[in-house]
Amino acid sequence: MPNSTLYDYVWMNLDKWPERTLSVCAVSGRGYTYEQAFILSNNFAANLRKKIKLRDGDAVIIMLPNIPDFPLVALGILEAGGVISTVNPLYTAHEVHRQILMSDAKVIVTLAETVDVVRNALRLAKMDIPIIVVKNNGDALPEGTVAFNELSEDIHVDKSCLKEVRRTPKDICFLPYSSGTTGLPKGVELTNSNIIANCEQLNEPSLKCNEETTATHQDIIVGVLPFFHIYGATVIMFNSIAQGLKIVTLEKFQPDVFIQILEKHKINILYLAPPLVLLMINHSLSSPERFQYLKHIINGAAPVASSDIERLLDKIQRKIRLGSGYGLSETSPVIAMADKASERYDIIGNSMANTEMKIVNEDLKALGPNQLGELLVRGPQVMRGYRNNPESNASAFTDDGWFRTGDLATVDESGRLKIADRLKELIKVKGFQVPPAELEALLRDHPAVFDAAVIGVPHPTNGESPKAFVALRPGANVNTKELCDFVSEKVASYKRIDDVVILDSIPRSAAGKILRKDLKAKYC
């Protein structure tokens, strides 16, 4: 594995493809070549040190959607010795202020349209730090902020200050905050080595999606999953740049536009999450022509039912690689992934190179093949720990260094992983454990159902009972008893759903995970 910082790793082959496109907006066509991106991020880095007074290890918050400038901002921060901490641009001032305090951020980079949110967050945090604005659509620069383009296009900046930067492979370079599905968000400390290891693991020949970038060939990947999430940051952004790919960015998700750009931009590599799988299956614009350039589709962020994978293949109408990956923010993120030859859609696949997996029972005793238990992992991509949170670290790691994923899984005789559900989201019915994902997959098999979520609710005699929420396909009509009966015919009696609520949509996180805690808070 390269013994370098993430910044040096990403740019190590720049001289092979300087004139190739690094990033381009799917809608406007605005973008950068690799050479332009390198020069502009280099200028930005020098000005972060010179004008903003950033120092080694200082956290910089990026609060941006997927725009072509995002990689330039991120790489400039790394070159300046900073630590990237990403924030969902849809967050409220309260959510942003919490991360400002937890990360001890020294600078925030955002768009003009979210400056008011940032200022309110800084007031709540009782802090006054520089706000750098990326002028994305000709927006006026808000008073009291600094323009990103003025810092990145400053060709006269003295770059000698960058010689002062002292960062090592073991230093933290990325500080995402976990989604908080089981409590308040926690700062995940990822080192240069963590993310580089995961990139190298993704490029193992049996897994690698792209061909070598040359004077006559460049693979194209769509940046539809948010770069502020570790899945989008490592897999789509950092790894793609290191491999010389063209990243087509989508700033605001619009279903019609997403389907159209797959054909328009000749996308051949697509990393996605379950909601996008469902969209590609059900959207009126979906057709074999729209998907004609796709060669690799990898689902991550949450499990997708094998029946949904088969429906998507029916839409594509030709044989392509369609598999799943599994990971967490704490593991940079990828732990396991289906290889190119796999046609098993009900499993994930083998662990990444140099990664160990172990299934244990409640007493942390190792279980055998195909036995259901909690998944533990060890490997070079596992985080250093949670920032300033010794209590969480103590519960997340075993005494001998295994990371507890909190996910319920099996590993077969061939070492292939299958995820059942989140351990803490299991529904306990009469002492039996019911995985919500199993019931959700069955509900999505109903012709009227577009998406589904299942949670456990208190029951007077059974302990808990499964309660379902469904979003219907456009124009579909079905009564809730029919849905309950549809599931009851296919499961053991203790898994039967007692109640179904029809919603306009199922709440999901930016990474595609079902927000069960939101459903519980609102409907239970």
Side-chain angles (χ1 to χ4, degrees), residues 48 112 155 157 162 253-254 280 338 368 394 404 425 442 458 506 520:
L48 282 175
I155 60 174
V157 61
L162 295 174
F253 183 74
Q254 298 169 286
M280 291 173 71
R404 302 185 62 176
E425 290 174 351
L442 287 173
I506 300 299
K520 286 187 176 184

Side-chain angles (χ1 to χ4, degrees), residues 174 176-179 181-182 188 190 194-195 198 229-232 234-235 300-303 325-336 352 374-378 381-383 386 396 403-408 417 419 421-423 511 513:
F174 203 88
Y177 277 74
S178 64
S179 57
T181 54
T182 57
V188 177
L190 298 175
N194 288 152
I195 297 179
N198 214 215
H229 188 273
I230 191 62
Y231 184 6
T234 295
V235 178
Y326 163 76
L328 305 160
S329 296
E330 291 87 345
T331 55
S332 302
V334 189
I335 292 170
M352 307 301 277
E374 184 184 359
L375 172 65
L376 274 56
V377 297
R378 270 194 317 209
Q381 72 273 50
V382 177
M383 67 169 180
Y386 295 115
F403 175 69
R404 302 185 62 176
T405 67
D407 285 328
L408 199 64
L417 176 69
I419 298 296
D421 223 314
R422 286 291 296 171
L423 195 58
K513 294 180 180 178

Side-chain angles (χ1 to χ4, degrees), residues 39-348:
I39 292 169
L40 293 169
S41 64
N42 185 241
N43 293 339
F44 179 54
N47 272 317
L48 282 175
R49 299 284 296 197
K50 202 80 176 175
K51 296 180 179 177
I52 308 298
K53 306 302 181 186
L54 194 75
R55 293 297 174 257
D56 291 358
D58 285 348
V60 180
I61 285 179
I62 304 179
M63 185 176 170
L64 294 171
N66 284 17
I67 56 176
D69 316 79
F70 198 119
L72 282 64
V73 172
L75 292 168
I77 292 167
L78 293 180
E79 187 182 12
V83 174
I84 299 166
S85 189
T86 49
V87 169
N88 186 335
L90 298 179
Y91 270 8
T92 64
H94 177 76
E95 291 167 312
V96 177
H97 112 274
R98 185 170 58 197
Q99 189 159 329
I100 291 170
L101 290 173
M102 293 175 75
S103 66
D104 190 23
K106 305 302 182 186
V107 191
I108 298 182
V109 185
T110 192
L111 295 180
E113 63 195 56
T114 46
V115 165
D116 285 346
V117 173
V118 170
R119 283 181 169 149
N120 287 334
L122 289 172
R123 276 194 284 271
L124 288 171
K126 296 180 174 60
M127 291 176 65
D128 182 17
I129 60 177
I131 303 172
I132 298 172
V133 172
V134 178
K135 295 166 68 175
N136 188 33
N137 299 306
D139 303 312
L141 185 68
E143 187 177 348
T145 64
V146 182
F148 168 71
N149 68 296
E150 291 180 10
L151 300 177
S152 62
E153 295 170 13
D154 179 7
I155 60 174
H156 301 295
V157 61
D158 179 6
K159 297 188 179 70
S160 64
C161 60
L162 295 174
K163 295 177 181 177
E164 302 167 1
V165 176
R166 296 288 183 272
R167 303 298 280 167
T168 72
K170 294 182 179 180
D171 286 328
I172 297 161
C173 68
F174 203 88
L175 185 65
Y177 277 74
S178 64
S179 57
T181 54
T182 57
L184 287 174
K186 299 185 283 285
V188 177
E189 294 184 324
L190 298 175
T191 67
N192 288 289
S193 291
N194 288 152
I195 297 179
I196 291 171
N198 214 215
C199 291
E200 289 289 287
Q201 291 165 330
L202 287 165
N203 294 317
E204 197 274 322
S206 68
L207 302 177
K208 188 174 182 177
C209 289
N210 63 286
E211 298 173 23
E212 185 179 354
T213 301
T214 65
T216 57
H217 178 81
Q218 184 184 32
D219 281 316
I220 306 168
I221 189 168
V222 62
V224 61
L225 299 176
F227 296 152
F228 61 75
H229 188 273
I230 191 62
Y231 184 6
T234 295
V235 178
I236 298 175
M237 186 170 65
F238 292 129
N239 189 56
S240 294
I241 299 171
Q243 293 293 310
L245 274 59
K246 177 180 180 179
I247 306 171
V248 178
T249 62
L250 195 59
E251 178 183 349
K252 294 180 180 177
F253 183 74
Q254 298 169 286
D256 291 6
V257 174
F258 169 68
I259 297 294
Q260 289 166 350
I261 66 172
L262 296 177
E263 180 183 14
K264 177 183 176 183
H265 287 276
K266 300 182 179 180
I267 305 298
N268 47 17
I269 301 171
L270 179 59
Y271 286 93
L272 39 64
L276 293 176
V277 174
L278 300 178
L279 175 72
M280 291 173 71
I281 293 168
N282 295 298
H283 199 282
S284 59
L285 292 177
S286 293
S287 69
E289 290 72 31
R290 296 288 187 195
F291 305 146
Q292 63 180 297
Y293 299 105
L294 290 172
K295 296 180 181 178
H296 303 263
I297 300 179
I298 306 294
N299 172 72
V304 66
S306 56
S307 58
D308 289 331
I309 295 286
E310 288 161 2
R311 280 198 286 264
L312 179 55
L313 285 170
D314 287 342
K315 278 283 184 180
I316 296 170
Q317 292 186 11
R318 60 189 173 87
K319 188 174 181 179
I320 69 167
R321 179 189 182 186
L322 213 168
S324 292
Y326 163 76
L328 305 160
S329 296
E330 291 87 345
T331 55
S332 302
V334 189
I335 292 170
M337 186 172 168
D339 62 35
K340 293 176 184 178
S342 176
E343 293 185 2
R344 284 281 306 274
Y345 304 130
D346 58 329
I347 59 174
I348 302 294

